[in-house]
Amino acid sequence: QVQLQESGPGLVKPSQTLSLTCSVSGGSVSSGGYYWSWIRQHPGKGLEWIGYISYRGSTYYNPSLNSRGTISQETSKNQFSLRLSSMTAADTAVYYCARRFPVAGYFDYWGQGILVTVSS
Amino acid sequence: DIQMTQSPSTLSASVGDRVTITCRASQSISSWLAWYQQKQGKAPKLLINKASTLESGVPSRFSGSGSGTEFTLTISSLQPDDFATYYCQQYKAYSYTFGQGTKLEIK
């Protein structure tokens, strides 16, 4: 059974960079054709896809982030990470990591989510 | 981006009712559509992929249909566990986009 677990700070100051990590168990971030994504949900709102990193390390980001996002992977720890720069109150959200099914774009496994609040 | 619009935003229904949620895409997405269920404080759970393929373990009272720009999620006989928020998601093109959600409430 694949499991994902987000970790990182729950509070970030405006203008700072957010760093989140997703630890994966029951599957490998560097094989199997899977793509590993970050998705966020603003309080009381819908879901916004942030971007992905593939099992081979290629990345794609939602242009709405205006090049503020970076997703990387650490295969030795079976983790992948999100860095989001120049944080503002508008980035306050629950951040989820999720696995994208191979050769398709739906998300079959999700982490439990982590609430990140941007406030001074 | 492809815009996804769900209707209704809120649906009040009773246990045993048959309910249908609609999702419309701003352009054709063929059958590249998924449905998720989200309960309060939890991550979304994948119910259906490719518009009508039920995920393993999902009760058969859930069904999906449609192609092109109009899709539906139907629950044939509501159970207490089904009261949640439902989202559609297109994966025809980047950036993947979700509908705004339909909250299914107990009448």
Side-chain angles (χ1 to χ4, degrees), chain B residues 80-102:
Chain B
D81 192 48
D82 300 337
F83 292 95
T85 300
Y86 293 84
Y87 293 93
C88 61
Q89 178 232 331
Q90 68 81 18
Y91 52 98
K92 170 69 165 63
Y94 299 132
S95 302
Y96 304 132
T97 47
F98 295 83
Q100 82 280 15
T102 295

Side-chain angles (χ1 to χ4, degrees), chain A residues 19-42:
Chain A
S19 292
L20 296 176
T21 296
C22 183
S23 300
V24 178
S25 59
S28 171
V29 299
S30 57
S31 65
Y34 295 99
Y35 286 40
W36 304 89
S37 275
W38 289 95
I39 296 161
R40 68 182 180 181
Q41 186 169 33
H42 295 98

